[in-house]
Each structure stands twice: as structure tokens, then as C-alpha cells.
């Protein structure tokens, strides 16, 4: 018997497609593209996934992405994600991608976006999973580089719905990206940003006030600032929380110490997401099930988390109604 947590239809809003690159696929693509990996085997690579902080992880994540070179590589990557989360009852996903990780080593913007777009289309047609793409700027690079990246992506404007901000947070506050986010706003793109993962609450304020974001990715450090919590609650700014990521990157020592229950008690629109599941040991159901066990979440709280993600998504009202009906059906059978 599958549990309610497993059966629940899900919306994933914080997922780096490059972070779904499983070691097996990394080796297969390395072979296909003649890339030599600095690991002898899949097991040796997995054994290296022991991170002290975000930067430790990012070093491996950017290295792994080197095997992605051709349009079909990006297609295979995203298709593997969709087929995997189909088993977890994900019905809608908003995928982050990091173009600079690829364009800076000579891969064309169109190669990345067209490969991912083809997988999104197939997921819709064959798996009934709706999806969209969000282009993330790397915050360890310059504000000008972010602007240029967005300009380079505008010929593919119809294929992505928003922009985000990721990579090393501490020391890279959001304000440097004001121009890129203003340009995105003028293009009618949605805006989100990682903030308050390792960085302080000030970075969440900065994402809201300087970048005009509609959602905060992570945001778990907001509880250190009561005024900020008030604002996030009053404006219903969603937080895309990633519990297993937070424990793997030592934001919390143990899942039982995660502040997700307190975020919900504060009336925040918190959601559960997997971030970089190939690196953090779990896709959506792993996150839901392990949170339920470690934090003692009730079925009602799990349902609230699923409904928060529907509310926080960038789909239209008709699709939101379909997703809500799907959650309702699963709850009736609980
Ligand atoms: N890029 C991929 N995963 C990330 C995370 N958790 N934080 C910042 N940048 C990322
Ligand atoms: Zn992330």
C-alpha cells in the first residue's frame, strides 16, 4: 500500500534540471561525448556526494554539467527527470536551468533551450505532466553577464516563463542583478530568486525590494526576522523549501530540526521541493515521506503543502483548478 504522502498529486517549483543528472546518465553522456570524468565509477562519484556546505556541492554540480553538450543531452536529462517524477505523482513542474553553466563553455543557448523544451512537450503529451522553464542567472558572476544572458535568450522568449537567481549566495546579494530583473519584468517574465538559504534575511528583503520577486526559493532563514515573516505572510509570497537539500548542505543538522512546521504555523505559503535530487538523495516523494516521518506532519499538513504549491505556481486558473481537483480526489481516497 502506498501512503497518502506518496499518492498525493504534486507540483514541483524548485528543481534545477542540471541537479537531476544521475551518476549513471553522467557516465553515459561522458562516454557519448568523449569527456573524461575524474571518477573511476558511478559508485566513486556517489561517494563524493558528501557536502559541508553549498559551495562544496556547487563545485561538483558545475563539474558534472560538463557532460551536457548537445541538444539531445539536454533532452535526455529532462526526459529522465519527467519519467522519474511521474512515479511520484508530480503533475506540474517549473524547471530551473542555468544557461551560463553551458554557454560559458561554448554550448549555444538554443541547444540548451530547445533540448529542454522538447522534453517538456513530450512530458505533456505522454505523461500528462505540464511544465515550464525558468532561466536562472548565476549570482557568483556579474550583473552585466546576467543582462547579456537574458538578451541572448530573448530569441527563445516563448520557451521560458521567468527568471531566477542561484549559485553561491553568501557574498553575492541580490542588488547586483537589479538591471537583469528589471529587463525581465519589462519582458513580462516572472521573477523568483534564491534567498535565505545560507544567506541572511537581508537578502530576502533585497530579493523582494530590488528584484521584485514573486516567490522566494528556500527562504528558511526568514524566521530570524519577525517583520520579514509578517511581510511574507501578508503578501502571500511563497517559499519553495527544499528539506532534503537543506540537510545535505547542512543548513539544518538533521531533518527533525527543519523549520518547515514553524513556517506553516507562521501562516506562510511554504512548499516542498527537491532542488537537486540526484545529488541530495531524494525526489519529491522522498522529500514528502521523510518530512512526514521526521517532522510528524499530518495528512492535512501534507495536503496544505501540495495546495500551497498549486497556489504558488505560474499556471493559469484553469490549470490550477485541475490540479486542485486532482488533490481533492487523492484526499477523498485517503
Ligand atoms: N544551484 C543548484 N542548486 C542550488 C541551490 N540549492 N542553491 C543555490 N544554487 C543552486
Ligand atoms: Zn535551488
Amino acid at each position: 500500500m502506498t501512503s497518502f504522502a506518496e499518492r498525493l498529486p504534486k507540483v514541483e517549483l524548485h528543481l534545477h534540471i542540471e541537479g537531476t543528472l544521475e551518476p549513471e546518465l553522467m557516465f553515459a553522456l561522458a562516454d557519448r561525448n568523449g569527456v573524461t570524468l575524474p571518477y573511476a565509477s558511478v559508485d566513486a562519484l556517489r561517494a563524493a556526494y558528501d557536502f559541508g556546505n553549498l559551495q562544496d556541492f556547487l563545485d561538483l554540480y558545475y563539474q558534472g554539467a560538463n557532460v551536457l553538450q548537445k541538444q539531445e543531452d539536454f533532452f535526455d536529462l529532462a526526459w529522465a527527470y519527467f519519467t522519474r517524477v511521474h512515479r511520484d505523482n508530480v503533475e506540474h513542474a517549473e524547471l530551473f536551468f542555468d544557461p551560463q553553466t553551458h554557454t560559458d563553455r561554448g554550448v549555444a543557448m538554443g541547444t540548451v533551450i530547445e533540448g529542454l523544451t522538447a522534453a517538456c512537450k513530450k512530458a505533456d503529451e505522454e505523461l500528462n505532466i505540464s511544465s515550464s522553464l525558468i532561466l536562472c542567472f548565476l549570482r557568483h558572476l556579474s550583473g552585466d553577464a546576467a543582462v547579456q544572458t537574458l538578451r541572448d535568450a530573448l530569441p527563445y522568449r516563448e520557451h521560458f516563463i521567468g527568471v531566477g537567481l542561484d549559485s553561491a549566495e553568501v557574498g553575492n546579494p541580490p542588488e547586483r542583478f537589479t538591471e537583469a530583473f528589471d529587463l525581465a519584468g519589462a519582458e513580462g517574465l516572472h521573477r523568483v530568486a534564491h534567498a535565505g538559504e545560507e544567506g541572511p534575511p537581508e537578502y530576502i528583503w533585497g530579493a523582494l525590494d530590488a528584484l521584485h520577486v514573486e516567490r522566494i526559493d528556500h527562504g528558511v532563514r526568514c524566521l530570524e526576522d519577525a517583520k520579514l515573516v509578517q511581510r511574507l505572510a501578508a503578501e502571500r509570497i511563497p517559499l519553495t523549501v527544499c528539506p532534503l537539500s537543506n540537510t545535505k548542505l547542512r543548513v539544518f543538522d538533521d531533518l527533525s530540526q527543519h523549520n518547515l512546521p514553524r513556517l506553516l504555523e507562521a501562516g506562510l505559503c511554504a512548499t516542498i521541493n527537491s532542488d537537486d535530487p540526484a545529488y541530495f538523495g531524494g525526489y519529491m516523494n522522498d522529500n514528502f515521506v521523510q518530512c512526514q516521518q521526521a517532522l510528524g506532519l499530518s495528512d492535512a499538513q501534507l495536503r496544505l503543502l501540495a495546495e500551497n504549491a498549486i497556489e504558488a505556481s505560474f499556471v493559469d486558473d484553469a490549470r490550477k483548478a485541475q490540479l486542485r481537483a486532482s488533490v481533492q480526489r487523492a484526499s477523498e481516497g485517503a
Side-chain angles (χ1 to χ4, degrees):
M1 260 295 276
T2 53
S3 67
F4 179 64
E6 291 166 297
R7 278 187 286 113
L8 193 57
K10 296 170 187 76
V11 164
E12 171 136 72
L13 302 176
H14 185 156
L15 181 279
H16 302 264
I17 197 62
E18 294 90 348
T20 68
L21 181 56
E22 291 287 350
E24 290 78 4
L25 183 58
M26 197 190 294
F27 270 86
L29 294 181
D31 239 26
R32 195 156 94 183
N33 291 325
V35 174
T36 307
L37 291 171
Y39 298 93
S41 66
V42 161
D43 288 343
L45 176 55
R46 271 216 173 83
Y49 292 177
D50 179 23
F51 312 115
N53 56 32
L54 175 59
Q55 190 60 55
D56 281 358
F57 153 70
L58 289 171
D59 292 343
L60 272 184
Y61 165 86
Y62 294 128
Q63 183 186 73
N66 285 332
V67 303
L68 299 164
Q69 299 190 354
K70 309 220 170 66
Q71 192 169 317
E72 53 267 38
D73 303 338
F74 291 92
F75 172 87
D76 289 348
L77 174 71
W79 181 244
Y81 164 71
F82 286 123
T83 53
R84 174 63 190 81
V85 296
H86 187 52
R87 301 205 315 256
D88 287 6
N89 298 305
V90 169
E91 296 192 356
H92 175 73
E94 297 178 6
L95 278 51
F96 293 141
F97 69 108
D98 288 341
Q100 288 157 291
T101 300
H102 314 298
T103 54
D104 285 1
R105 53 190 175 83
V107 177
M109 182 69 77
T111 299
V112 180
I113 296 183
E114 283 170 3
L116 297 176
T117 299
C120 291
K121 184 165 178 286
K122 188 169 158 109
D124 188 33
E125 290 167 355
E126 296 186 16
L127 303 174
N128 236 345
I129 300 177
S130 56
S131 63
S132 45
L133 298 175
I134 296 178
L135 180 160
C136 283
F137 305 118
L138 297 182
R139 71 198 302 159
H140 67 272
L141 301 178
S142 71
D144 286 347
V147 171
Q148 190 56 49
T149 298
L150 181 52
R151 290 196 199 288
D152 292 344
L154 285 179
Y156 307 93
R157 167 70 185 82
E158 74 199 275
H159 297 308
F160 60 102
I161 60 155
V163 298
L165 185 64
D166 65 4
S167 191
E169 186 183 7
V170 174
N172 294 306
E175 287 78 5
R176 190 166 5 117
F177 300 94
T178 303
E179 190 185 342
F181 275 68
D182 282 350
L183 175 59
E187 288 292 333
L189 289 158
H190 290 290
R191 290 172 283 191
V192 301
H194 283 53
E197 177 185 16
E198 286 187 344
E202 288 72 28
Y203 287 18
I204 303 179
W205 286 106
L208 294 171
D209 292 332
L211 306 185
H212 308 289
V213 300
E214 297 156 78
R215 297 196 299 241
I216 296 287
D217 297 311
H218 293 294
V220 290
R221 288 193 59 189
C222 72
L223 290 185
E224 296 168 30
D225 181 338
K227 271 216 160 60
L228 176 59
V229 172
Q230 254 176 25
R231 169 148 181 214
L232 293 169
E235 295 182 18
R236 290 292 292 160
I237 305 284
L239 303 183
T240 62
V241 178
C242 305
L244 287 180
S245 161
N246 290 155
T247 54
K248 273 285 186 306
L249 300 185
R250 321 259 173 114
V251 174
F252 297 94
D253 289 337
D254 190 84
L255 196 53
S256 64
Q257 273 144 45
H258 200 285
N259 66 9
L260 180 63
R262 277 176 285 141
L263 297 171
L264 291 176
E265 278 158 29
L268 297 174
C269 183
T271 65
I272 287 184
N273 307 271
S274 71
D275 207 5
D276 301 282
Y279 292 88
F280 300 150
Y283 287 78
M284 283 292 265
N285 275 4
D286 301 304
N287 273 275
F288 269 78
V289 168
Q290 290 188 43
C291 277
Q292 180 177 37
Q293 287 167 354
L295 299 166
L297 300 181
S298 64
D299 284 356
Q301 282 174 308
L302 296 178
R303 180 174 175 170
L304 175 64
L305 286 157
E307 287 174 338
N308 282 349
I310 298 170
E311 176 187 340
S313 71
F314 293 138
V315 296
D316 63 21
D317 287 346
R319 180 71 182 134
K320 281 188 182 180
Q322 280 177 347
L323 293 165
R324 287 197 176 102
S326 193
V327 168
Q328 172 67 22
R329 275 194 303 277
S331 304
E332 282 161 2

